[in-house]
Amino acid sequence: MSRAKAIAFALPLLSASLVAACASAGGADKAETEQAIEAAMAEELAPATPEEIEAARRADPLTKANFWGKEFRKDPTKLDVTVEFMQALREIGSHERAIEIGSKTLPIHPESAELHIVMARALMSENRPAEAADFYYRAAAIAPDNADAYGGLGLALDQMERHEDAQASYEQALRIQPGRVSTLANYGLSLALTGNLNGAEAKLRAAASSPDATARVRQNLALVLGLQGKFDEARQVDPAAPDATVEQNMQTLKSMLSPLRDYGALREEDGGGAAWPEEVDAPAQEEAASPPKLRGSLGGD
């Protein structure tokens, strides 16, 4: 967007007092009036200071979204502002609005891997994995060394039930960034969904051993251990979990595993309702409402 368009976009934001002053200028010198308008508009369009930006980043999600919305209106062509605005919108659950902003801005910055990734994450939050996968593919093509692109692509492919392709994408993400917790966790869940519980346990143990591991990672490891009948180990993995939750999960798993079935049979018995992994920064999704139901989540961190 040109400077002229940005100014036109900001005109409605000028204060009523300025408009009134200009209207009453009657016999005032035309050049002075135009200079006053330009000065007021320049002040209105001035970017936020570093101090204002830092304060906004510490603010609550709604305040942050309002701040970046104002900055975006000042100049919708700035890439860093667009990304911040889209991320702030996602924090308050406005994923559709983030997609709308991204769709309008991508033609201006077609080579921005970061913008493609934020767009893909918003699409994932709207349960549109096929579209998200396309944006992750593009991000990976633009930035082949970006682990976020490959980790997110794996997640989208898993939700499309393309598990082997998803696992190959996780492998690539881990080659770029070994030990990446979200990728290890999602890889483990992907392996579990294809019946490879030993492989799933190994990946989830690696994820859970990281200082960055969340409670969800430990819950998922406990679940995979329980699916193998390792109930004592499952209890030890997440000692902070409420006893009632652990006990309910263990009882549910025991009923599913008596007699022991393979994972494919368990999924069939459960209506195929296992919840999918999630990307590192995506909000938690609702669990599938199909019995038997475990307390906790099968999603990643």
Side-chain angles (χ1 to χ4, degrees):
M1 181 181 289
S2 66
R3 172 71 174 174
K5 288 184 178 179
I7 291 174
F9 192 75
L11 268 173
L13 302 176
L14 293 174
S15 66
S17 60
L18 173 63
V19 175
C22 292
S24 63
D29 182 80
K30 182 179 179 181
E32 291 181 359
T33 302
E34 291 178 349
Q35 288 175 3
I37 294 174
E38 286 288 339
M41 290 172 62
E43 182 178 353
E44 187 70 30
L45 291 170
T49 65
E51 293 75 17
E52 289 172 332
I53 291 173
E54 186 59 32
R57 287 173 175 161
R58 295 193 302 267
D60 63 273
L62 186 57
T63 299
K64 190 186 302 183
N66 286 331
F67 172 85
W68 287 112
K70 181 179 178 181
E71 292 303 298
F72 178 78
R73 288 191 295 273
K74 290 177 183 178
D75 187 355
T77 68
K78 293 184 69 174
L79 176 60
D80 58 339
V81 170
T82 299
V83 170
E84 292 272 14
F85 186 30
M86 290 176 67
Q87 291 174 334
L89 286 169
R90 294 194 62 236
E91 282 188 44
I92 62 172
S94 295
H95 306 296
E96 290 185 2
R97 176 64 173 150
I99 293 167
E100 178 186 344
I101 295 297
S103 298
K104 292 178 179 178
T105 309
L106 273 166
I108 304 172
H109 303 285
E111 296 302 309
S112 171
E114 184 179 23
L115 190 55
H116 279 83
I117 289 171
V118 177
M119 184 74 167
R121 287 172 173 167
L123 287 163
M124 288 292 288
S125 296
E126 286 294 296
N127 196 29
R128 294 159 64 179
E131 294 170 77
D134 187 44
F135 281 97
Y136 280 128
Y137 271 125
R138 295 181 202 174
I142 294 166
D145 293 332
N146 191 312
D148 288 346
Y150 288 101
L153 176 58
L155 178 61
L157 291 170
D158 258 333
Q159 290 206 10
M160 296 163 65
E161 299 194 23
R162 293 173 54 185
H163 302 305
E164 291 186 4
D165 291 335
Q167 291 159 22
S169 189
Y170 294 139
E171 287 281 2
Q172 181 61 26
L174 291 170
R175 279 193 285 270
I176 297 168
Q177 188 179 339
R180 191 170 187 265
V181 174
S182 61
T183 299
L184 285 167
N186 288 339
Y187 195 172
L189 292 168
S190 182
L191 290 168
L193 288 172
T194 54
N196 184 353
L197 296 181
N198 288 331
E201 178 184 341
K203 298 299 182 188
L204 285 164
R205 281 193 184 279
S209 68
S210 169
D212 298 326
T214 65
R216 179 175 293 180
V217 173
R218 294 187 292 273
Q219 290 167 2
N220 291 332
L221 174 56
L223 179 60
V224 167
L225 288 168
L227 287 170
Q228 298 176 81
K230 301 177 180 179
F231 300 114
D232 290 339
E233 290 182 62
R235 291 176 186 276
Q236 295 169 6
V237 162
D238 192 16
D243 290 341
T245 299
V246 173
E247 185 61 32
Q248 179 175 329
N249 282 348
M250 292 305 102
Q251 291 302 320
T252 301
L253 287 168
K254 286 177 181 178
S255 69
M256 292 168 67
L257 295 170
S258 180
L260 184 65
R261 301 170 177 82
D262 63 29
Y263 193 75
L266 289 173
R267 286 195 66 199
E268 182 177 355
E269 177 177 310
D270 192 30
W276 293 98
E278 293 179 37
E279 193 174 0
V280 62
D281 79 334
Q285 298 177 2
E286 294 292 326
E287 287 186 285
S290 56
K293 187 165 182 130
L294 300 174
R295 294 176 64 88
S297 170
L298 198 61
D301 64 335

